[in-house]
Every structure is written in C-alpha cells, then in structure tokens.
Amino acid sequence: MFNVLNDWKKTVSAALLAGLLLPASLAGAAASPETNAAPSVAGNAAGGPESSVVQHDSLKPEAGQAALEATAKKKKVLVIGLDGTRPDALQAANAVNLDALAANGAYSWTTKANSNYTWSATGWSTIHTGVWYQKHGVKDNTWAGSKFGQYPSLMKRAELYNPALSTASIVHWGPINDKLVEGIDLEKTVATDAEVVSDTVNLLKTGNPDFLFLHFDDIDHAGHTYGFSPKVSQYTKAIEGVDAQIGTILDAVKARSTYVQEDWLILVSTDHGGKGTSHGGSSSEETTIFLIASGESTVKGQLTGATYQADVMVTALKHLGVPISSSWNLDGRAVGLIQ
C-alpha cells in the first residue's frame, strides 16, 4: 500500500510538473544521527488565530535587465513545511503535486525527526537551525530553554552572509515567526492555510524572493481531530487539500516572468509524525518523517543514505551558495543536490 510512487503516479506527476522541474543524476550526502535522546515532555500544539505581519525591510524588487541576461541561473529556494504529516499517509493520499516533486527530484520516506520531544516547536527549531534539540534547547511548545543566540535560524545566517538575498517566512502557526525566525526581510503570520497560499502567490508575482519558507497547519489539525494515520480518511483528505494548494504555488513559480533564468530548489518536509490523535513521544510513527528535494539541481530517485530533519535548511544554504562554517557546529548536511 505504501510502496514508493506507483507507475500511474509517475505518469501523472511527470505531466503535472512538465517544464517546472528537470531530472538530474548524481547522489547527495547524508547527515549524522541525533544522539543523547531524553524522555518526552508535553507541550501545547495550537497556533494563534490572529493574522499579523512583521516587515523588517522592503523586499527587493525584481531583477533588472542585466540580471536577466546573466548566463548562470539565479539560485532560489522554496521550503514548504507540512505540519504533522506522516510519510505513509502522504504516500497513501492522492497527492499528485507532492508525488510529482518526488518523482522529479530526490526523496526519502524514512527521514528521522528528533528521537524524542516530537513537538512542533522542537521539530521546526531543528529544521531551521540545523541542529538537534540538545543544542537548540527547545523540548516542547513553551519554547523554554531556547538557544537561538548560539544556534539561530539558518535563514538569518543566509541574510548575514548575503544581505542582498530576499528572505521571507509565511506561516500559519505564529510561534515559528514569533519565537524562532528573525533577521530576515519579511515575517508574516496568517490565520489560514489558504492565506499562506494567497500571500505566497502575491509575493511570487510582485516580489523577487530568493529564500522562502512556508508553513501549513491544516494537516496537523486533522491529525489531532481524527487521528494521524493513513487509514483515517479525514487525515489523508487534509493532505490532498494542502497538496492542491501547493500546486497553486508551483504554478505561480512557473508563471514568473524570470522563471527561465531561475534555478528553484523546492524542499518539503515536516516537524513530526503522529500516533493516535497526538504526538510528542518517541514512537516510530512520531519520529519517522519525509524529505523531498526537487529541482534541476537535485539528484533523481530515492535517497539511499540516511536523512535527517536537521538536513533541510543546510541543503537550502548549500544551493544558495552560503558557505557552512564549522564554528556553527551543525548536525545537518546538504542532501539530494548534484555535487
């Protein structure tokens, strides 16, 4: 039931994504596993309903004619976070856009999240900082003990390295922007997944983002209400609903007037899985997640080496040409990219 990409899915996927993503051929690196796991601690799971925006600087305008005529394509990254999405349920769902991204890139259905403390704050902190909870310090949704001064979001590190980059975070769950992301051009918190889509499409039409993070929350809501399982139709339907929204965003990427001069890396992953109607523990259902890296600069096919939650943003920085300093003491590595 959960075999990777049936033949019919490959056919549909290739048709849907024709012209958006090109296949590549080589393999990427794997990351080191997390160590020193500790017992689980409970935390809150809900995000705030209010919509808010923090505009630090105006987003950079569209590239000029000189940039359009440049021989090398402009590297860009879109990171899509699907809160509370189990990989087996993703494979069971009719998620044609996500299937297409996987078929035209590198993917793993056995990526590992934190070995414990599988809460949203913990998972998104690991994705953004590139280190496990033992370093970033976030063990539950209170965000107590965070060490983002020492281990900041890698979006901030990208801005510090190259302030000319246009960086943005558009999220449904507000604490990601309120507690974790800082030092970037645009932070926007909205009240629905639909608003994540509309604001992202508008930004892709009117702005020129280089490094964009999106967070969708409806799948996690369905898991908490009905159950995190591929056998729960409401849960798989929620995945299909967000998948359709992702399709709208991918269409907006492809419709950009500068698209042929751009090399988009699209990364998709999640903060945790789930068991029953909850998460936070160390079961395989909670700690097994997925990672998709899609685009013309990625390898094609299932990743054979181990992949980890901490790899996501490190991969983004590698694509953008941001050098990784050993002084950052990261746990993640770039995966799925042509070397």
Side-chain angles (χ1 to χ4, degrees), residues 185-197:
D185 295 318
L186 175 69
E187 296 172 29
K188 193 164 188 181
T189 299
V190 297
T192 65
D193 280 3
E195 289 178 79
V196 173
V197 177

Side-chain angles (χ1 to χ4, degrees), residues 311-333:
D311 298 339
V312 178
M313 286 294 193
V314 181
T315 305
L317 261 58
K318 176 73 172 180
H319 182 71
L320 291 170
V322 178
I324 307 298
S325 171
S326 60
S327 65
W328 298 351
N329 196 23
L330 300 184
D331 295 319
R333 298 179 185 175

Side-chain angles (χ1 to χ4, degrees), residues 1-2 84 86 88-90 92-94 218-240 274-278:
M1 181 173 171
F2 307 129
R86 279 177 48 164
D88 54 358
L90 173 55
N94 185 24
D218 285 353
I219 299 169
D220 187 64
H221 288 172
H224 283 294
T225 304
Y226 304 106
F228 294 86
S229 170
K231 298 179 181 180
V232 175
S233 62
Q234 296 93 332
Y235 184 59
T236 56
K237 289 295 182 185
I239 293 173
E240 291 167 4
K275 186 176 183 179
T277 57
S278 189

Side-chain angles (χ1 to χ4, degrees), residues 2 79 228 261 289 306 323:
F2 307 129
V79 181
F228 294 86
Q261 285 87 30
I289 59 170

Side-chain angles (χ1 to χ4, degrees), residues 191-251:
T192 65
D193 280 3
E195 289 178 79
V196 173
V197 177
S198 60
D199 283 13
T200 301
V201 169
N202 182 62
L203 178 58
L204 288 165
K205 286 180 178 178
T206 63
N208 191 27
D210 298 304
F211 193 178
L212 178 57
F213 173 77
L214 309 179
H215 168 269
F216 290 85
D217 215 17
D218 285 353
I219 299 169
D220 187 64
H221 288 172
H224 283 294
T225 304
Y226 304 106
F228 294 86
S229 170
K231 298 179 181 180
V232 175
S233 62
Q234 296 93 332
Y235 184 59
T236 56
K237 289 295 182 185
I239 293 173
E240 291 167 4
V242 174
D243 177 78
Q245 293 174 320
I246 290 171
T248 300
I249 292 170
L250 296 178
D251 287 343

